[in-house]
Amino acid sequence: PPVRGLRGSPRARSAMPSWVIDRYGRNDVLRFTRDMVFPTIHFPNEVIIKVHAASLNPIDLSMRSGYGATALNMKRDPLKIKSTETEFPLTLGRDVSGVIMECGLSVSYFKPGDEVWAAIPPWKQGTLSEFVVASGNEVSFKPKCLSHTEAASLPYVGLTAWSAVNQVGGLNKSNCGGKRVLILGASGGVGTFAVQLLKAWGAHVTAVCSHDASTLMKKLGADDVIDYKSGNLEEQLKTLPLFDFILDNVGGSTEKWALDLLKKWSGATYVTLVTPFLINMDKLGVADGMLQTGVTVGSKTVKHLFKGVHYRWAFFMPSGPSLDEIAELVDSGKIQPVIDQVFSFSEVPKAFLKLEGGHARGKTVIDVISKK
């Protein structure tokens, strides 16, 4: 009798086109291959997605260079079952918009043919590929009003901003009205999403960016736009009323003075997305890195708590249910994709160079199914 096990891949294919790296380094490590192993469903809650579009994020540049490899390899193989260096060939790319090709046995929410979007966590094979595997709980139905190219620009930055603002910062549509919010580094992918999300929830948003992004910030709804190049940023911000919430996409020296801009003893919160967590683990190893990280965030949290403000770190978290909520905001017109440039699948190295050049206004997107 036929065995009820996990299903094979569509048309029993064994290979697919993909952009991979075989070692860490600069842009020349990117390699196109038609022989990447075709993904298979290993767990009953997984789905295979045919990738229509993907997009690049700063984490892709970092991962190409080997950033976070220690922590990510531990997550990929926590029991050290495999031999070393098993991450290669490694496919980068976190965002996907595409169509479900196949579902694991316990997936009831999706079916083949459904148009979906997702952000694949960094310890899994990425989306610069013809097909990708995702857990069903990482996937959501794509917003109906967006093309695949537009939709691919949003999941990773959207979930990163959602994690910082909602899950860590505690803000939502019912408590955000009238709150004063400051976003440092507002013109990148996370910033452009956060401005729209917080405006949709009724906050007063002050966006910090360079002058040439100010028109975009106003278009996205920012109430005040501050040019960080037009004089001392700290002094400019001190002339404004104090804030209830700060989202820091910049890090570095901003942390030294930004918390002084919060209202004291009012529950005001500073959330930074720039943390030393993965760097510590790369430098010190898993155990010492986690210990160092815990000491750092613990001491900073306590120090600022005594000053009457909350200090928090936030990270990207994959979440289909959160993407469901984001899709509702997109379909109701409250959040729009902000795309800087679209590249064809053959132009992936060029897209990486574009991202590396910095100063993007929104996202760099890859149209995977274009035949160019």
Side-chain angles (χ1 to χ4, degrees), residues 79-242:
L79 300 178
K80 298 270 190 296
I81 294 167
K82 301 171 189 166
S83 61
T84 55
E85 299 275 275
T86 50
E87 70 264 40
F88 301 119
L90 181 65
T91 305
L92 302 175
R94 311 273 49 100
D95 292 298
V96 57
S97 182
V99 175
I100 299 268
M101 294 299 290
E102 188 186 354
C103 299
L105 293 172
S106 70
V107 176
S108 55
Y109 195 57
F110 301 105
K111 64 184 187 307
D114 285 343
E115 295 197 333
V116 295
W117 64 343
I120 310 295
W123 53 87
K124 295 186 179 181
Q125 287 287 22
T127 60
L128 295 176
S129 214
E130 190 181 14
F131 295 89
V132 70
V133 167
S135 298
N137 56 8
E138 294 163 358
V139 180
S140 163
F141 290 107
K142 175 181 83 66
K144 293 181 179 64
C145 67
L146 298 186
S147 68
H148 285 296
T149 309
E150 292 168 326
S153 70
L154 286 172
Y156 189 84
V157 294
L159 288 171
T160 303
W162 191 273
S163 162
V165 171
N166 176 262
Q167 286 158 313
V168 176
L171 298 181
N172 56 54
K173 61 185 173 191
S174 61
N175 69 7
C176 215
K179 281 206 162 70
R180 288 183 51 79
V181 174
L182 172 66
I183 300 177
L184 298 162
S187 63
V190 174
T192 52
F193 185 94
V195 168
Q196 296 181 84
L197 177 64
L198 289 157
K199 285 308 299 176
W201 287 347
H204 178 286
V205 174
T206 300
V208 174
C209 57
S210 63
H211 175 69
D212 60 344
S214 57
T215 307
L216 171 63
M217 288 299 109
K218 287 288 186 188
K219 186 179 158 209
L220 296 180
D223 300 282
D224 296 322
V225 182
I226 308 289
D227 175 10
Y228 68 86
K229 292 179 178 171
S230 67
N232 185 307
L233 177 59
E234 184 182 352
E235 297 305 320
Q236 289 184 76
L237 291 170
K238 277 181 179 169
T239 64
L240 301 175
L242 293 171

